[in-house]
Amino acid sequence: MRYPEVRRDDTVETIHGEEVADPYRWLEDGDSAETRAFIEAQNAFAEPVLAQLPARAAFRERLTALLEAPTRGCPWVRGGRAFAWHSDGQNQPVLVVADSVDGLEGSGDAAPRVLLDPNVLSADGTVAVTMASVSPDGALLAYGAADGGSDWRTIRIRDIATGDDLADEIPWTKWNSAVWLPGARAFSYWAYDAPTGDALTDEMGAGRLMRHETGADVADDAVLFARPDEPRMFARHWPRDDTWLVLSTDTGSSSGNDLAVARHGDDGLTQLVDGHEHEWNAIGVRQGRLYAVTDEGAARYRLAVFDLETGRESTIVPEHPEDVLLDASLTASGLVLEYSHDASHRMQLATFDGELGDAVPLGDGVSIIGSDAGKDSDTVLVSTQSFVDRGTRHVIEVDGARLVSHRTLPTPGPAAPAAVTHRIRTVSTDGVEVPAFLVRPADDPGDAARPTLIWGYGGFNIPMNPGFRAVLAAWVAAGGVLVVPNLRGGGEFGSEWHKGGTKERKQQVFDDLFAIAEHLIATGVTSVTQLALHGRSNGGLLAGAALTQRPELWAAVLPGVGVLDMLRYHRFTIGWAWASDYGDPDEADAHRYLRAYSPLHNVPTGVAYPPTLITTGDHDDRVVPAHSFKFAAELQRAQAAGQTGEGADAPVLLSIDTRAGHGMGKPKDAAALEFADQLAFAARHTGLVVAATDGAGSSRQAGAGLVAAAPEAGPEPRA
């Protein structure tokens, strides 16, 4: 297999006394003619290989059906109006409004009114709405539109009664949602200066928290908070309160945060927490007391309260002996607590003083993916998902810690593909038990090794919970086994579990993954010729490290938009914020352990690497595509150097979407194409034979044709 020619130069940088070659550094310039030619050549090389994959068409049809199935987002209520994101097959969901939550369920003449349709914002559907905030009186909508998958967005304001946009337009904003200030005619937002260089790659400087008054000139917006002396500091105004301004600051994607408060209109802030050592998730103010979920002195988190007059802090709900307190909300009469139990979610009510009450029956093995509660109402709205549930919406009435009523709203569209979920556990290299979800097709008796896909992440305190993802559901619907491990670095089991997979302990995340993979093989779930690995972003790093450290373990590897150059990740856009998880490459100790596992810097020749499909978007301004470009070039060179016999059936492909970013807001048709290529590639190299579909995305035959992989298949801000 002759890969595209990619120029290697003699770039060498001395870092902490070590000479580090970087022969593809020129690929960091995404706009150069040479890089554009590289993109064209890689896509021209990959497309014919992908086009010949036997399951590509079947997966495209199956994924299109799954992605176009109707969806209904979690409703929220403001000022007597109900809002929700609805999709009936459009590329982007639309925001609808009605006079009540039940009014959102109407059809025909009784259908809710479309308030905002992102699909009309661009001809190709690549402009997405990535932020929407309704004023407390239900009169105005502040929304942020992002182009081509970028994290940059422009904020506009829409009159909800008329559906017309006002003249206000705020460019160069990121991260924060608009948070409305007292009077509901002004809001806070996070902004940056307009980039002077490449907006998609240049390291970002200091931002600032601004106040915008509706109808005013943006140039006159007031600065609420700025620290130009600390360019790597974020600030957020939350929760919204008409008396108190609550300010949270942090210095990284998973670092601790500080809290400060002031009465609206007063000068100066009173610091409640400083040092950025622990998480303090402020959730609401009631009668001069600020409630916050924290891991200070509680690895599984506790609910604390601050007296805002004295600054004194005390515990309302102590740390649970087993479960992790994820979040909490105020209602008019009490508290709603969200817990994680063995990586699935549950909900419990409590009094304002923390006395526990009724459990809310959300179901077993679910994740809470959205909720809306407010201190002026005793109605709580919740959305849940699972591996086999596309989404269930719950309407809950409470009275303090007592559950008054619970009902679900109808779910339109077909049911999710039938499947059965199990929990498996194995012991990692340090003696710690690591669990995973194992999802089988409902008709799979589990009596033989099957083509299996591991979907992993392991970082930034982000939990891998039961959830419905079209790309994963399509794999199971086609007859494959899905495994979602709960690796160190994630947020499933509290802050110590997260910290156990960060910085100098990052290798433990990879070791956890290898332990799960070896357990699957040892117990007969799958074999090395049937096991594929997929991960995105930080999960792309996981896939890249697994590929370079244990190439013999995988039948195929699929790194998506991955962080793959661990010595330069911090030099682009928001990458420096990830040092809270990875460590700072500019520090000698961090350089040492980052160098040891950085996928780009650990690709020796003479190794038989498994079939690999690397995917990225050339508009990705979160994890810049140079990570994938450089890694693909290096891996192709190494694979070509050692390619003989069976290696010819182990291609290294780079597929680049030229109108996409990190993934947020990606049009459904583009997502279906990308996911189909990934799954068809995995199916080809694990031996999953995918049945044709009946035109509606379902299999024409009972069960799935599964065969062992052919022997020649060979041994696969936050990022």
Side-chain angles (χ1 to χ4, degrees):
M1 183 170 287
R2 295 185 61 84
Y3 292 105
E5 293 289 334
V6 183
R7 178 174 65 86
R8 289 171 60 85
D9 64 24
D10 57 0
T11 299
V12 176
E13 186 175 7
T14 301
I15 309 174
H16 302 298
E18 178 188 10
E19 289 191 348
V20 179
D22 197 0
Y24 303 115
R25 185 172 293 184
W26 58 270
L27 284 168
E28 293 175 358
D29 183 357
D31 291 328
S32 74
E34 191 174 17
T35 300
R36 303 313 297 179
F38 168 88
I39 292 171
E40 292 176 6
Q42 290 291 337
N43 279 340
F45 177 76
E47 175 54 31
V49 181
L50 297 172
Q52 294 176 17
L53 295 172
R56 191 191 207 191
F59 270 124
R60 281 189 178 181
E61 189 171 352
R62 192 182 303 274
L63 282 156
T64 297
L66 286 168
L67 289 165
E68 291 185 351
T71 61
R72 300 291 184 263
C74 184
W76 73 96
V77 177
R78 299 290 183 273
R81 288 177 165 140
F83 304 84
W85 290 98
H86 284 190
S87 176
D88 291 297
Q90 307 98 318
N91 260 329
Q92 306 282 356
V94 300
L95 181 62
V96 298
V97 58
D99 291 334
S100 67
V101 170
D102 288 319
L104 294 170
E105 305 306 304
S107 59
D109 292 341
R113 173 168 60 94
V114 174
L115 175 60
L116 177 61
D117 184 356
N119 298 284
V120 303
L121 300 180
S122 64
D124 60 359
T126 58
V127 171
V129 173
T130 58
M131 181 276 291
S133 177
V134 175
S135 61
D137 60 1
L140 297 173
L141 166 71
Y143 70 94
D147 185 21
S150 173
D151 282 331
W152 288 114
R153 59 192 178 204
T154 298
I155 297 177
R156 298 182 175 89
I157 304 172
R158 179 159 293 192
D159 184 307
I160 291 174
T162 67
D164 296 329
D165 279 351
L166 308 184
D168 310 55
E169 187 171 295
I170 309 173
W172 304 117
T173 72
K174 282 192 180 187
W175 318 131
N176 293 8
S177 290
V179 179
W180 293 89
L181 292 156
R185 292 301 176 268
F187 56 80
S188 67
Y189 65 95
W190 187 254
Y192 293 90
D193 291 332
T196 57
D198 189 336
L200 292 178
T201 61
D202 285 357
E203 181 178 343
M204 298 176 64
R208 55 196 176 274
L209 189 68
M210 306 294 292
R211 171 193 171 100
H212 177 71
E213 192 81 30
T214 303
D217 190 328
V218 174
D220 296 329
D221 285 2
V223 177
L224 291 174
F225 177 87
R227 284 289 302 273
D229 59 318
E230 291 281 356
R232 295 183 173 183
M233 182 175 286
F234 298 103
R236 183 184 185 220
H237 156 217
W238 184 261
R240 196 200 73 78
D241 185 73
D242 285 338
T243 302
W244 293 93
L245 173 72
V246 181
L247 187 74
S248 171
T249 61
D250 64 78
T251 56
S253 296
S254 61
S255 64
N257 64 292
D258 291 351
L259 291 177
V261 296
R263 291 182 181 273
H264 287 292
D266 287 357
D267 293 330
L269 290 162
T270 299
Q271 201 72 32
L272 298 178
V273 179
D274 58 21
H276 295 110
E277 294 181 4
H278 299 284
E279 295 177 53
W280 295 88
N281 174 27
I283 59 107
V285 178
R286 177 182 178 271
Q287 295 181 355
R289 301 203 303 172
L290 172 66
Y291 292 77
V293 176
T294 181
D295 67 339
E296 192 273 330
R300 288 180 296 278
Y301 297 82
R302 61 186 174 90
L303 183 61
V305 65
F306 291 90
D307 184 316
L308 294 181
E309 295 296 340
T310 65
R312 181 183 176 186
E313 180 259 316
S314 58
T315 295
I316 290 292
V317 178
E319 179 182 18
H320 193 277
E322 296 180 0
D323 298 349
V324 179
L325 178 61
L326 300 173
D327 202 358
S329 303
L330 295 172
T331 67
S333 60
L335 298 167
V336 181
L337 308 176
E338 297 179 18
Y339 282 99
S340 174
H341 174 76
D342 196 21
S344 294
H345 293 170
R346 66 178 182 86
M347 181 173 279
Q348 188 164 13
L349 306 179
T351 67
F352 288 123
D353 293 326
E355 182 180 343
L356 299 181
D358 292 341
V360 179
L362 300 180
D364 296 328
V366 302
S367 294
I368 297 170
I369 61 168
S371 64
D372 182 64
K375 60 184 179 181
D376 298 323
S377 173
D378 276 328
T379 300
V380 181
L381 305 170
V382 180
S383 285
T384 59
Q385 276 186 354
S386 74
F387 293 115
V388 295
D389 176 18
R390 294 190 302 112
T392 298
R393 294 163 300 153
H394 308 255
V395 180
I396 301 155
E397 300 293 338
V398 303
D399 180 11
R402 185 174 66 89
L403 177 65
V404 175
S405 66
H406 167 261
R407 63 187 175 96
T408 59
L409 298 173
T411 300
V420 178
T421 302
H422 307 278
R423 288 291 268 167
I424 61 172
R425 303 175 195 277
T426 192
V427 175
S428 191
T429 53
D430 61 350
V432 173
E433 187 177 75
V434 178
F437 293 99
L438 189 151
V439 186
R440 292 184 179 275
D443 59 357
D444 176 9
D447 57 356
R450 304 286 186 175
T452 297
L453 177 66
I454 296 179
W455 165 270
Y457 192 79
F460 294 96
N461 206 23
I462 295 175
M464 292 291 101
N465 305 121
F468 188 82
R469 294 179 175 89
V471 64
L472 305 183
W475 177 261
V476 176
V481 173
L482 170 68
V483 175
V484 181
N486 303 123
L487 309 172
R488 243 76 65 92
E492 296 91 342
F493 303 108
S495 59
E496 291 304 315
W497 187 261
H498 164 231
K499 293 172 185 175
T502 62
K503 298 183 178 178
E504 71 275 11
R505 299 171 294 274
K506 186 68 176 178
Q507 180 61 41
Q508 190 62 58
V509 182
F510 313 138
D511 291 343
D512 287 357
L513 171 67
F514 302 150
I516 290 289
E518 290 167 345
H519 176 77
L520 294 171
I521 295 165
T523 56
V525 172
T526 191
S527 67
V528 292
T529 60
Q530 297 172 294
L531 182 58
L533 173 63
H534 182 28
R536 291 179 55 84
S537 196
N538 175 74
L541 164 61
L542 177 75
L547 162 66
T548 53
Q549 293 185 22
R550 296 290 304 275
E552 81 289 352
L553 199 54
W554 317 103
V557 183
L558 313 167
V561 294
V563 186
L564 300 163
D565 182 349
M566 300 310 297
L567 302 187
R568 288 178 61 78
Y569 77 82
H570 61 314
R571 300 190 181 280
F572 305 100
T573 64
I574 200 62
W576 52 261
W578 311 334
S580 57
D581 242 59
Y582 297 147
D584 185 347
D586 290 339
E587 298 176 358
D589 286 347
H591 169 84
R592 175 182 49 78
Y593 60 72
L594 289 166
R595 173 67 178 80
Y597 74 77
S598 176
L600 176 63
H601 300 94
N602 289 278
V603 187
T605 57
V607 175
Y609 294 101
T612 303
L613 173 58
I614 302 165
T615 52
T616 190
D618 72 346
H619 283 65
D620 191 340
D621 55 359
R622 178 137 358 141
V623 180
V624 295
H627 285 274
S628 295
F629 294 172
K630 293 161 71 174
F631 183 63
E634 187 69 5
L635 192 61
Q636 286 177 346
R637 184 185 75 90
Q639 191 78 320
Q643 184 171 279
T644 58
E646 65 184 40
D649 195 40
V652 174
L653 306 181
L654 173 61
S655 180
I656 305 143
D657 191 329
T658 57
R659 189 71 174 114
H662 200 60
M664 180 178 289
K666 190 165 190 171
K668 291 178 182 176
D669 52 5
L673 298 181
E674 177 187 333
F675 296 163
D677 286 350
Q678 292 168 332
L679 294 185
F681 188 86
R684 162 67 181 82
H685 295 287
T686 60
L688 177 64
V689 178
V690 181
T693 65
D694 60 7
S698 59
S699 176
R700 285 192 189 136
Q701 63 186 60
L706 301 172
V707 298
E712 64 270 23
E716 155 177 53
R718 298 179 180 173

